[in-house]
Amino acid sequence: LPGTMAGLGSATCESCKAGHFAATVGSSECHLCRAGSYAAAGSHECSRCPPGTYSSIAATKCTPCQEGWVAEGWGNPTCKPCLAGTYAHEGRLCRQCPGNTISTL
């Protein structure tokens, strides 16, 4: 079954651990999810992290960017800091500060 594997001489199939996947029937190993994606145990594919989040290799979930940092688009392996004069509240997009306000690094 997809999401499972069996090594040489196995009597049963095992589910892939969280952060790993097996895409095809007859898999002999589970593969790591790339940075910017995640998988629950027994997955047949990795899901990309949504905007505003990131993940490292073999992640079980995506992590939200901290205040002032962003991850635009899907599948980010890291968050990037907003430049001085901009800000980010939900980690999806750096916005320019409104008049009479500032932002510093």
Side-chain angles (χ1 to χ4, degrees), residues 21-32:
F21 73 102
T24 59
V25 172
S27 293
S28 60
E29 63 182 334
C30 296
H31 302 280
L32 296 171

Side-chain angles (χ1 to χ4, degrees), residues 1-48:
L1 295 171
T4 64
M5 59 79 69
L8 185 63
S10 294
T12 61
C13 293
E14 298 176 30
S15 290
C16 293
K17 296 186 294 186
H20 298 71
F21 73 102
T24 59
V25 172
S27 293
S28 60
E29 63 182 334
C30 296
H31 302 280
L32 296 171
C33 290
R34 294 187 311 193
S37 64
Y38 68 98
S43 293
H44 67 277
E45 66 182 356
C46 299
S47 300
R48 293 187 302 162

Side-chain angles (χ1 to χ4, degrees), residues 52-54 63-73 75-84 86-95 105:
T53 66
Y54 70 98
T63 304
C65 296
Q66 66 185 34
E67 297 290 315
W69 292 66
V70 294
E72 298 176 358
N76 291 286
T78 61
C79 297
K80 298 176 184 172
C82 290
L83 299 175
T86 65
Y87 71 100
H89 175 65
E90 294 181 358
R92 295 183 190 157
L93 183 65
C94 292
R95 301 180 188 276
L105 291 176

